[in-house]
Structure formats: C-alpha cells, structure tokens
C-alpha cells in the first residue's frame, strides 16, 4: 500500500545541468525507463543546455514552481576540460602548455592569463552547478518538505568521491547507469546496493565504481512519450548538424591504462537488441533526424561482437533508412570486409579510432589490446568498401615509456593511414591524457611517486593540473615546445602541424618497426598494477 502511494505521489523533474548542446540522451533514457516501470508517475525534462547562462537560475526556479517536483534528478555530463579544442573558456591545452613550456616570457604570461581565465571558468562552473543543485532542491522543498535530489551522469561517475563533499546532505550520488537505482528508489526498496551513496549518511564503498551494474534489457526509447514531457525537445530537431545519441550497447571489456569507461560502464558488454535500436532510430528518423551518434564506449568492443554490429547495420539497411549518417568510437581492429561494407552502406561518415600511439610496443604497454597491423588492414578494407569520409585518429603522446624511436614509429603509422584514406581525410587529434581516477595510469602515477593517494583529481591548481595533464619529463618539455611551435605556425591545423614538426625534427621510422613489438622487461611494471 505504501509503495503505491509513493508511486502516485512522485513527480520527477530531470534537470540536465548546463552543458554544450549535446543531446541529453542520459536523462531521456532514464525518463523512458521510469515511465515503462511506473506509467502513472508524472515526469518532466528540463535541459539547461538549451538555456542562456544568465537565465539558468530563474529558468530553473520557474520550472520548479510550475512542476513542483518531489524528486529532482540532476544529470551532470562533463567537468574535465583538457582537450586540444576550444573549451568553454578558451583552449586549455594551449594555455597550459604556454604557461609550462614557453621560453618567451610574453608567451608564458599569455599562457598564465589564459590559464587563469580557464581556471576561473572551471571553478565558476563547478560552483554554479553545485549552486543550481542546492537551489533547485531548496525550491522544491518549498512545495514538498521531503523533496529529494539524486545526482548522476558522466561527470558524477568519474568524480563521485569528490562531489559528495559539496552537495547537500541527503543527496544521492550515483555512479554509472541510473535506471535500476531510480526504479528501486521509486518502489521504496533498499537502493544502496546500487552504485551510489547518500551524502551525510553513507560513505562511498571502497572500489564502488568497480562494482558491476545491474543487468537491464534495453527497449526502444518511446519518443512519443519523451516529446510530451520535454517542451524543448524540438531544439535538437531544428539544426541539421546535431548527431543525436543512440546507445546500442553498454560496457567495454578492455583495460586501456588511462580509460575509466571500462569501469563506469563495466567490463560486461550488454547488447541492446538490434530491433529495438532500429525502432528507436526510426522514431527519430520520422521526426527528421538523419545524423546519429552511437554513444557506446566502443561500437565494436571485441571480435565476438562483430556479428552483433553486422546484425544491427543489416537491420538498418532493411529498414529503408538509407539517407542517414552515423558516427561512433570504433576499435578498428574488430572489422571484417562484410562489416566494412555495411558501415559504408549505412552512412558512417565519421569515426574516431583511439589507438593512442602508432607504436605497437607502446600500444601493448598501455594494455590496449590493439594489433596495429590488423587496424591497417581493416582500414584498407573500409576504404575498399567505399568509405570516403573523415577519420579522427586520437594520439596521446608520452603516456608511458615514449622514446624518440616510438615517436618516429607513430609518424610512420600515421603516414600509412594517410596513404590509405587520403591526407585530408585523416585528422590526427593530438590529446594529452587527462589523468582520471580509478585508472591503471593513476595507480602507475602513485607507484612512480608522481601523485600521492588523496590528491584531488578535480583540482585545477597549477601544481596539480600539471601532473594531471599527463606529459612527464624527460620528453614533456620537448612535446611542450613542439606543440607551441605548431600553434604558432598553423593553429587551425594543429594535429597535422604537430606531426609535420615531429617528422622534421626526428624523421620517420620504418612502418615494419612500428608494427612489431619486442617484449621487454619494463613492460611488466604496468602489467603488474590492477
Ligand atoms: C559518446 C561520448 C561522447 C560523444 C557524444 C556524442 C553525442 N552526440 O552524444 C562525443 C565524442 C561528441 C563526446 C564529446 C565530449 N565528451 Co564525451 N563521452 C561519451 C561517452 C563515451 C558516452 C556518453 C553517453 O552518451 N552515454 C550513453 C548515455 C545513455 O549515458 P549517460 O549520458 O552517461 O547517462 C547514463 C548514466 O550516466 C546515468 N545518468 C545520467 N544522468 C543521471 C542522473 C542521475 C540522477 C542518475 C541516477 C543517473 C544518471 O544514467 C544514464 C542512463 O543509463 C562518455 C563515457 C562513458 N562511457 O560514459 C564520455 C564522457 C561523457 N565525455 C566526457 C567529456 C569530458 C567530453 C568532452 C567535454 C571532451 C572534451 N574535453 O572535449 C566532449 C564534449 C564536447 C562538447 N561539444 O562539449 C566525459 C565527462 C566526464 C568528465 N571527465 O568531465 C566522459 C564521462 C568521458 C570521461 N571519462 O572522461 N563524448
Ligand atoms: S579506451 Fe576504448 S577500448 Fe580502451 S577501455 Fe576505454 S572504451 Fe574500452
């Protein structure tokens, strides 16, 4: 009886905290799931990604006054901003590198000022989002004394331990997918066995993030329903260039040393039934959407999932949605000629390969499980199948054991990719790893004495940020200078310029050297960490 009352009385407001306008697929899936379990519950989606910054607080107030929620589901997507792209406060990588590595004092000063701007923007954003959570909760409690907040999403999954210190007591902090947590919460069941904790009441369990998510069979999202609870839904339908998220699976079985996806989503790969994925795409297609982003950590996580990818793409072909485009993170070691043909045929027009290095030796040391020779062969198959669009190849230099020879190998590898796809079609995306908690790289940093346990991974204080933006010496300054030169010479084509400068300075290895990886004893160092 009590459960029924709880179910009927609940009014759930999903607040997607401010974010670049990326389709808020997380809250859409949560609302869809809750509706399927509890059709009687009133729900509303409110996306601050579509609201101008000056209006955040007042728009949130208005929405709460009107909807009077009993449960606030805050979704926080991203916090970390280390990337070689114009972030919200400027180009963080460039500023940091100018500050750390520039020899010219004026450039150093410019880096310091730019860094300060980003520093301020970063903390302002953190405080603002925490402020919005507190404000929203307080406002909802005006209408319902026991209104409650649950906080989750990508950023919370990574920084769940830190965020608990600044959120109101009683807030539930959730890691990873939130469907079963919400289900238990709404049923009045014990929910703390899910990957979560309650601020002021419980501490996050040791290795909480490593716990496996509760299995869940995903069905096609019901967009007729979503449209009805989300007044601004059309915002994402108007622009033709939005890639709308569709998830086809969860989980990644790999162990790449710097990656946290594999713990956030879990190692167990769970495939969403192809018919359900296509049915979901069809609803978006009928609303005019032609661009889709398969938001999986990896679209083809391992060879044993090739058949699932083939089944899905074949069903897309059979559905007659022939004028679509799609993009995804692709492990290009897991392709077959048949899959390549289907990828080209179904309109894949962009993909990212995160090989990180073109040196097989380093790829192995980073525990990435890639065979670079296979990747090249598969890229040739993809090209032969008619793929003629953009590939972004993510390189992160200097992760572990980088040497001049391994840099030369990366250049050789990249040049081969250019020969396959065409120079203008392969974009080298030069990242430096932003060190994340719960990764092997973090363990390695502890072991090497670079970081001490208890450090704050969210800190942007210059002395911490310099360590988290992973670019250790002895090669750190060298890469710093190369990047600065690239920004000076050709800021609009940064990645290609970096490759060019590196080749001018160091030359290019034989491709064969890049593809073969002699086993060396040092490798065991990282392999021993778990
Ligand atoms: C796909 C993806 C992208 C794609 C998105 C494409 C698109 N059109 O959607 C692209 C490549 C564009 C992208 C870009 C970026 N991304 Co990204 N991305 C991802 C990835 C792999 C999946 C996100 C996703 O959509 N998942 C599917 C949906 C259904 O899941 P979800 O949104 O997370 O929601 C679920 C749960 O989080 C939870 N949940 C969500 N909200 C709430 C709320 C409550 C209360 C509860 C209980 C649960 C809950 O339940 C949901 C349903 O299961 C994640 C990593 C990961 N594996 O999660 C990173 C991730 C979200 N990205 C991240 C970042 C930082 C970025 C960038 C800002 C990087 C950068 N510096 O440039 C950019 C943003 C670019 C921009 N324009 O602003 C970070 C965010 C955390 C952080 N470090 O701050 C993540 C977590 C990766 C990481 N570990 O660093 N990204
Ligand atoms: S980097 Fe990619 S393949 Fe490696 S663990 Fe992360 S999601 Fe999986």
């Amino acid at each position: 009886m009590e459960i029924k009352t709880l179910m009927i009385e609940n009014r759930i407001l999903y607040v997607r905290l401010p974010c670049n306008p990326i389709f808020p697929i997380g809250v859409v899936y949560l609302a869809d799931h809750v509706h399927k379990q509890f059709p009687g519950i009133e729900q509303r989606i409110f996306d601050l990604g579509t609201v101008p910054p000056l209006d955040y607080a007042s728009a949130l107030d208005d929405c709460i006054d009107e909807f009077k929620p009993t449960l606030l589901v805050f979704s926080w997507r991203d916090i970390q901003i280390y990337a070689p792209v114009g972030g919200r406060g400027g180009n963080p990588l460039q500023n940091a590198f100018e500050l750390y590595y520039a020899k010219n004092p004026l450039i150093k000063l410019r880096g310091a000022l730019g860094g300060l701007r980003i520093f301020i923007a970063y903390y302002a954003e953190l405080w603002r989002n925490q402020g919005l959570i507190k404000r929203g909760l307080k406002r909802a409690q005006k209408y319902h004394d026991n209104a409650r907040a649950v906080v989750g999403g990508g950023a919370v999954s990574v920084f769940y331990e830190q965020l608990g210190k600044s959120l109101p007591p009683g807030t539930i902090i959730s890691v990873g997918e939130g469907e079963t947590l919400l289900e238990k919460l709404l049923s009045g069941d014990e929910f703390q066995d899910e990957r979560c904790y309650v601020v002021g009441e419980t501490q996050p369990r040791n290795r909480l993030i490593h716990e496996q998510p509760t299995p869940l069979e995903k069905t096609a999202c019901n967009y007729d329903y979503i449209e009805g609870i989300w007044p601004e839904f059309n915002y994402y339908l108007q622009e033709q260039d939005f890639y709308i998220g569709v998830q086809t699976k969860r989980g990644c079985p790999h162990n790449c040393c710097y990656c946290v996806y594999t713990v956030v989503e879990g190692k167990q790969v769970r495939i969403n039934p192809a018919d359900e994925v296509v049915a979901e795409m069809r609803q978006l297609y009928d609303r005019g959407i032609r661009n889709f982003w398969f938001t999986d950590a990896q679209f083809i996580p391992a060879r044993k999932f090739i058949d699932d990818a083939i089944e899905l793409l074949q069903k897309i072909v059979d559905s007659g949605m022939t004028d679509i485009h799609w993009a995804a993170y692709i492990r290009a070691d897991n392709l077959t000629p048949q899959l390549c043909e289907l990828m080209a045929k179904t309109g894949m027009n962009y993909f990212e390969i995160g090989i990180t290095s073109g040196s097989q030796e380093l790829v192995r040391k980073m525990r990435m499980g890639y065979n670079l020779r296979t990747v090249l062969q598969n890229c040739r198959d993809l090209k032969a199948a008619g793929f003629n669009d953009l590939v972004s190849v993510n390189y992160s230099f200097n992760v572990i054991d980088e040497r001049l020879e391994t840099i030369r190998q990366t250049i050789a590898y990249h040049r081969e990719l250019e020969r396959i796809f065409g120079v203008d079609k392969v974009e080298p995306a030069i990242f430096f790893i932003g060190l994340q908690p719960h990764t092997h790289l973090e363990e390695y940093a502890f072991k090497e004495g670079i970081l001490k346990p208890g450090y704050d991974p969210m800190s942007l204080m210059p002395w911490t940020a310099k360590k988290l933006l992973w670019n250790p010496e002895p090669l750190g300054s060298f890469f710093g200078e190369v990047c600065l030169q690239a920004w000076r010479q050709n800021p609009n084509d940064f990645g290609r310029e970096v490759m060019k400068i590196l080749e001018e300075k160091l030359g290019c290895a034989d491709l064969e050297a890049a593809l073969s990886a002699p086993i060396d004893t040092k490798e065991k160092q990282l392999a021993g960490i778990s």
Side-chain angles (χ1 to χ4, degrees):
M1 202 58 214
E2 197 205 354
I3 292 175
K4 278 213 172 94
T5 323
L6 272 168
M7 279 163 47
I8 291 161
E9 277 181 0
N10 267 303
R11 299 174 62 79
I12 309 180
L13 180 64
Y14 297 84
V15 182
R16 209 273 287 258
L17 287 165
C19 183
N20 283 349
I22 294 180
F23 189 74
I25 187 69
V27 293
V28 166
Y29 280 3
L30 289 176
D32 177 62
H33 181 79
V34 166
H35 178 64
K36 285 171 181 157
Q37 304 301 317
F38 309 99
I41 289 185
E42 287 284 326
Q43 305 196 92
R44 170 84 65 91
I45 294 177
F46 176 58
D47 177 13
L48 282 161
T50 63
V51 172
L54 285 178
D55 300 341
Y56 289 155
S58 59
L60 179 64
D61 287 353
D62 291 349
C63 182
I64 290 174
D65 291 345
E66 196 195 316
F67 187 70
K68 303 184 180 53
T70 57
L71 185 67
L72 287 148
V73 174
F74 287 101
S75 184
W76 192 338
R77 188 187 188 281
D78 50 54
I79 282 183
Q80 220 170 23
I81 49 172
Y82 304 121
V85 290
R88 293 192 267 278
N91 181 332
L93 187 67
Q94 183 173 0
N95 284 305
F97 274 30
E98 285 180 351
L99 172 63
Y100 300 146
Y101 305 115
K103 297 214 168 86
N104 178 336
L106 286 176
I107 303 275
K108 223 180 179 48
L109 180 67
R110 186 174 73 181
L113 292 174
L116 184 66
R117 218 179 40 239
I118 287 173
F119 178 90
I120 292 169
Y122 173 80
Y123 281 104
E125 203 165 302
L126 276 183
W127 289 324
R128 186 204 57 213
N129 281 6
Q130 288 160 7
L132 286 168
I133 294 171
K134 288 177 194 153
R135 184 186 183 108
L137 180 61
K138 219 169 144 199
R139 193 121 187 148
Q141 284 171 343
K142 268 181 34 185
Y143 302 101
H144 302 280
D145 282 349
N146 50 1
R148 195 157 195 195
V150 201
V151 182
V156 181
S157 298
V158 178
F159 300 112
Y160 65 97
E161 285 158 317
Q162 291 70 33
L163 286 169
K165 297 187 184 93
S166 42
L167 294 176
T171 304
I172 302 165
I173 296 194
S174 160
V175 173
E177 53 202 71
E179 282 89 342
T180 43
L181 167 63
L182 291 185
E183 202 179 317
K184 288 183 180 174
L185 188 64
L186 292 165
S187 310
D189 291 346
E190 172 52 47
F191 60 83
Q192 293 217 33
D193 54 339
E194 289 296 317
R195 298 198 294 170
C196 70
Y197 69 101
V198 181
V199 178
E201 291 172 24
T202 49
Q203 291 295 324
R205 290 182 291 278
N206 190 23
R207 293 177 63 82
L208 169 69
I209 193 169
H210 295 276
E211 294 170 11
Q212 289 303 311
T214 310
L216 179 81
E217 175 95 340
K218 173 88 174 63
T219 53
C221 178
N222 175 353
Y223 274 102
D224 286 338
Y225 171 70
I226 295 298
E227 205 167 42
I229 62 163
W230 182 12
E232 296 82 26
F233 176 57
N234 272 334
Y235 177 91
Y236 291 95
L237 304 186
Q238 289 154 9
E239 300 278 336
Q240 290 307 308
D241 58 345
F242 274 127
Y243 277 73
I244 301 294
V246 173
Q247 200 177 38
T248 81
K249 64 187 70 59
R250 290 180 179 180
C252 176
H254 292 281
N255 237 336
C256 306
C257 71
Y258 51 79
C259 180
V260 72
Y261 298 10
T262 179
V263 281
V264 168
E265 293 195 14
K267 289 203 186 303
Q268 187 98 44
V269 176
R270 290 148 296 148
I271 308 282
N272 299 339
D275 288 323
E276 298 295 324
V277 177
V278 174
E280 183 169 317
M281 290 172 73
R282 164 61 70 185
Q283 296 179 58
L284 291 162
Y285 184 89
D286 289 345
R287 290 171 167 83
I289 296 299
R290 293 294 178 270
N291 295 330
F292 299 90
W293 189 292
F294 294 136
T295 59
D296 316 352
Q298 284 296 340
F299 183 61
I300 316 152
R303 292 198 77 75
K304 67 175 179 186
F305 303 107
I306 288 179
D307 286 346
D308 297 289
I310 289 178
E311 184 195 353
L312 173 61
L313 296 183
Q314 188 57 52
K315 286 191 163 152
I316 291 176
V317 173
D318 299 343
S319 77
M321 293 186 277
T322 49
D323 55 344
I324 63 163
H325 289 300
W326 62 271
Y329 290 127
I330 304 278
R331 271 192 70 111
D333 51 343
N334 302 323
L335 305 182
T336 61
Q338 185 195 5
L339 183 51
C340 290
E341 281 206 8
L342 278 167
M343 288 162 108
K345 195 169 171 185
T346 48
M348 179 178 80
N349 69 341
Y350 176 76
F351 71 101
E352 297 195 10
I353 338 182
I355 52 172
T356 308
S357 168
S359 159
Q360 182 66 58
E361 179 194 334
L362 294 196
V363 163
R364 183 188 284 171
K365 284 183 175 163
M366 291 184 282
R367 301 171 151 207
M368 301 187 58
Y370 268 111
N371 180 322
L372 289 182
R373 200 184 294 275
T374 312
V375 171
L376 282 183
Q377 187 47 48
N378 292 347
C379 287
R380 288 186 195 107
D381 289 345
L382 199 52
K383 180 72 186 175
F387 177 79
N388 203 20
D389 286 291
L390 201 62
V391 189
S392 170
V393 190
N394 297 355
Y395 295 112
S396 294
F397 287 108
N398 208 11
V399 177
I400 186 161
D401 277 1
E402 187 85 84
R403 305 184 311 277
L404 298 185
E405 182 51 21
T406 54
I407 303 170
R408 283 191 276 271
Q409 292 173 3
T410 296
I411 295 163
Y413 196 82
H414 187 70
R415 296 295 178 232
E416 185 62 18
L417 285 174
E418 288 181 336
R419 274 188 284 277
I420 295 171
F421 290 114
V423 176
D424 56 326
K425 294 285 167 34
V426 191
E427 172 93 36
I430 313 286
F431 287 87
F432 283 82
I433 297 287
L435 188 133
Q436 298 205 317
H438 317 293
T439 57
H440 297 295
L441 196 61
E442 185 194 51
E443 290 285 337
Y444 176 79
F446 291 153
K447 209 168 152 226
E448 296 289 302
I450 299 170
L451 286 170
K452 291 204 175 63
Y455 78 102
D456 177 5
M458 282 173 69
S459 168
L460 211 65
M461 293 299 168
W463 49 92
T464 313
K466 187 161 184 195
K467 292 174 182 169
L468 297 186
L469 182 54
W470 190 261
N471 185 29
E473 297 300 342
L475 280 177
S477 310
F478 168 73
F479 280 114
E481 281 161 31
V482 168
C483 290
L484 291 178
Q485 189 181 340
W487 278 307
R488 255 193 331 269
Q489 290 175 188
N490 196 354
N492 296 326
D493 203 357
F494 172 72
R496 288 192 184 85
E497 196 65 21
V498 168
M499 288 300 193
K500 185 171 142 241
I501 298 169
L502 287 172
E503 187 164 6
E504 280 163 9
K505 284 187 189 291
L506 305 176
C508 179
D510 267 355
L511 181 60
E512 202 42 47
L515 300 180
S516 46
I519 307 266
D520 103 3
T521 41
K522 270 194 180 164
E523 221 174 293
K524 293 197 180 104
Q525 283 184 1
L526 188 63
I529 297 163
S530 62

